[in-house]
């Protein structure tokens, strides 16, 4: 599991023109749309799970790791 801040996630995955707001990232984590977690008041995106999305074998291996 590789947890990154919403800011880091936005830099890695979106261009400035297409990036959602950090509020949207936090809402997606709360709704289970984006893999991640809240620790205290801070939010983190699980970049490993996000990158593996769509590959059932990789997802199964990561869940069991």
């Amino acid at each position: 599991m590789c947890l990154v801040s919403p800011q880091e996630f936005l830099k890695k995955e979106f261009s400035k023109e297409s990036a959602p707001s950090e509020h949207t990232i936090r809402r997606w984590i709360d709704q289970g749309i984006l893999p991640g977690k809240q620790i205290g008041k801070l939010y983190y995106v699980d970049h490993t799970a996000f990158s593996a999305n769509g590959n059932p074998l990789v997802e199964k291996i990561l869940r069991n790791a």
Side-chain angles (χ1 to χ4, degrees):
M1 176 185 303
C2 176
L3 297 176
V4 297
S5 70
Q7 300 90 347
E8 288 180 65
F9 178 73
L10 290 170
K11 287 179 188 176
K12 289 181 180 183
E13 299 298 329
F14 295 94
S15 67
K16 284 189 176 190
E17 297 81 27
S18 67
S21 68
E22 287 183 43
H23 176 75
T24 300
I25 297 295
R26 291 189 299 267
R27 189 178 75 237
W28 287 347
I29 292 170
D30 286 339
Q31 294 173 344
I33 296 170
L34 189 62
K37 61 172 66 176
Q38 181 180 3
I39 302 173
K41 293 184 179 182
L42 301 176
Y43 281 80
Y44 297 93
V45 177
D46 183 348
H47 197 264
T48 305
F50 175 79
S51 299
N53 195 9
N55 187 330
L57 178 58
V58 173
E59 289 176 11
K60 182 178 178 182
I61 291 169
L62 289 173
R63 272 194 305 267
N64 294 327

